[in-house]
Amino acid sequence: MAGEESSPESAAGSKKMDDLEGQWRLYEAYNELHGLAQEFDTPFDAPAVLVVGHQTDGKSALVEALMGFQFNHVGGGTKTRRPITLHMKYNPECDSPLCHLLSDSDPSVSHEKSLQEIQAYIEAENMRLEKETCQFSAKEIIIRIEYKYCPNLTIIDTPGLVAPAPSRKNRALQAQARAVESLVRAKMQHREFIILCLEDCNDWSNATTRRVVMQIDPELSRTVVVATKLDTKIPQFARASDVEVFLSPPASTLDGFMLGDSPFFTSVPSGRVGFGPESVFRSNDEFKQAISSREVEDLVALEEKLGRALSKHERSRIGVSSLRLFLEELLLKRYMDSVPSIIPLLEKEYRSSTRKLSELDQQLSSLNEAKLKEKGRTFHDLFLTKLSLLLKGTVIAPPDKFGETLQDERVNGGAFIGSDGLQFPHKLIPNAGMRLYGGAQYHRAMAEFRFVVGGIKCPPITREEIVNACGVEDIHDGTNYSRTACVIAVAKARDTFEPFLHQLGCRLLHILKRLLPIAVYLLQKEGEYLSGHDVFLRRVADAFNNFAESTEKSCREKCMEDLVSTTRYVTWSLHNKNRAGLRQFLDSFGGSEQSAIIGNSTSTGLSQDLSTASVASDNKQDVKPRTDVKLSHLASGNDSNTSTQTTETRLADLLDSTLWNRRLAPSSERIVYALVQQIFHGIREYFLASTELKFNCFLLMPVVDKLPAMLREDLESAFEDDLDNVFDITNLRHSVGQQKRQTEIELKRVQKLKEKFRYIHEQLNSQQPKFGQ
């Protein structure tokens, strides 16, 4: 294995060198595989050790101890804001660490850096991220290291988890804690990673880091648990039994089946390597020696506390060297077990890259004017076909992805809300719970509009509104209650129905605009989408959205003209539908009022009721005899022997009631209310019918019969003006060329890795002992 014990001086001969050479080749292949997976986002299972722990648990210090040299800041606070991937390779010829930093912009390029330069780069990245809104990044800093003390390991050091206090003043820290935990959890999702779970505690029931780890790995089946800072824990134990429980915790305390069956215990000496006055170690060799000395001191201190010698198993779990040996062997086994499955994955990736390269070549060859124009026209026709299909009805697009329930539609497209601020219960609308799109969704929205508007009643009318509506005529100061009713009705109708007109336009526009992404999905599903031509596709999308918006606006304006006309001038023929009901109301109202007049001798009441009777007699001929009888009874003077009233006198009383008297009696109020109801309901029925018809004719139908010509005209005009801008040919050619170069690089690297793993697989099958199993 790697380490001082594996140096060439202690080798047993050429067989040992062959074993090391085979292992180096295996580690190198997996390091390249991990880099390829990171760079091209390919799903290769490249085993690695993922270090997880809270701040000040000693994560970075332990990683440095495993490497045998220091490279990063160690101490309180957040010192790691990007995961740091360390591809470590044991090289007995490197007396000092040989480091290469992979470029962020092009990970295939690496630059040799000194430890000071790498440390400065990590510090600069931490400072940069600290100033940004999102203070952490999941993009890894990748470093390749060769050193005589390095193990053959790939270790990923993650940002330290944070456990802030729950008070309000710690909100910023709480947000930071959530960001870190989310990043670490995402890394732990990779099932090929071995999780190195660090705990800084002397009581195993205190599961700080394990709480997070077990959310991803509940059984700890791919987790190694490590208790850090052992040198500070030993003095805290007063009894040997406490040490026994700490070294061998009961199964009930540590759930699951962790790797290694029991925790590891490590100590890392404090102090930095350097030549300054604050430095403790003058070289990495001194640092490595201090780690070894610390292990010996920990073993002695534990045996003194226990009063007995440690068993072989207990010794194998104490110290950085024991942990490093265990991780090396574990990772080596994972590497070897994964070799057979890696080769088919590489073959699949090679075929995929070859096919992608062929498609890019074909795309480059098709970037000429004639072919691009033909592509644009073909896409235009296919796009319109999908739109028409969606309006007519289809089940090709999945409703769970593109459909909206009525509640979703109300949230995204606006709800129908009346003047009372209440919504119609969505459960009462047919198909309210179904996830609809296209023509079905349009029909449901229109049905809801009919339900809501058709059920609207005339708003309440107050006496003050009636009196204010009477006003003064331009030539006399008498009252005209029919005019009063019209004034009130049209005002109420305009205020009531105009908001629904805007709400309907907004809702239907939302439904039409949703056709665009669904049509794109259908085109992609059938392989008819123009991938890579983003500028052209944005132009088509903008043209469609602009057409929908302008058409909806024009349609709404037409509907608004109708609403204005019906609320500006009352045409009585529009309100004849409920005339019989109004006549019946006035008939019964006239009879009851005339009966009340018989016992009332005041002239005011008489004249007002005469007015009422006259209105009733005008609406129904068979009422007239009854009214005349009652008037004649009044004229006969039942309470006194007055002379009979003449017809002229009765007419004077009627005029006194309707024109000269502004005292609003209950009878007049009820007549005005009845007339307002009649006019309002007539306006409602006309508004409902005309609005539905106009939106169907001037919003829905233009999508079918006007949109194709408009899109084609816009397309041909763009082709004539500037084809390069329509398809962004220059940038597209550059982008496709860049993709081709990256694909060629990926293809070469996959081919190289494929040959390496095939060779390693052959060696494993023919000479299994060479890899030290």
Side-chain angles (χ1 to χ4, degrees), residues 101-140:
L101 177 67
L102 271 64
S103 170
D104 275 346
S105 58
D106 185 1
S108 63
V109 177
S110 62
H111 304 281
E112 185 175 344
K113 300 285 185 180
S114 65
L115 290 178
Q116 291 77 15
E117 289 173 330
I118 288 179
Q119 184 172 333
Y121 176 77
I122 294 173
E123 290 176 7
E125 281 297 286
N126 289 338
M127 292 178 64
R128 178 183 66 83
L129 289 169
E130 191 173 359
K131 297 175 183 177
E132 293 187 359
T133 304
C134 183
Q135 297 184 348
F136 297 87
S137 171
K139 185 176 177 60
E140 299 175 5

Side-chain angles (χ1 to χ4, degrees), residues 248-314:
S248 301
S252 59
T253 305
L254 286 177
D255 296 330
F257 305 93
M258 73 182 74
L259 292 173
D261 298 327
S262 63
F264 284 80
F265 305 87
T266 62
S267 297
V268 178
S270 59
R272 306 303 295 166
V273 175
F275 298 98
E278 72 283 355
S279 300
V280 176
F281 311 111
R282 296 302 175 189
S283 66
N284 285 310
D285 287 340
E286 286 189 21
F287 173 61
K288 183 69 171 61
Q289 183 59 45
I291 294 173
S292 300
S293 300
R294 183 71 265 170
E295 290 181 17
V296 174
E297 293 171 7
D298 287 344
L299 290 170
V300 172
L302 284 171
E303 289 182 342
E304 288 180 356
K305 285 284 186 180
L306 289 170
R308 63 172 178 82
L310 293 168
S311 66
K312 183 178 179 180
H313 176 75
E314 289 172 334

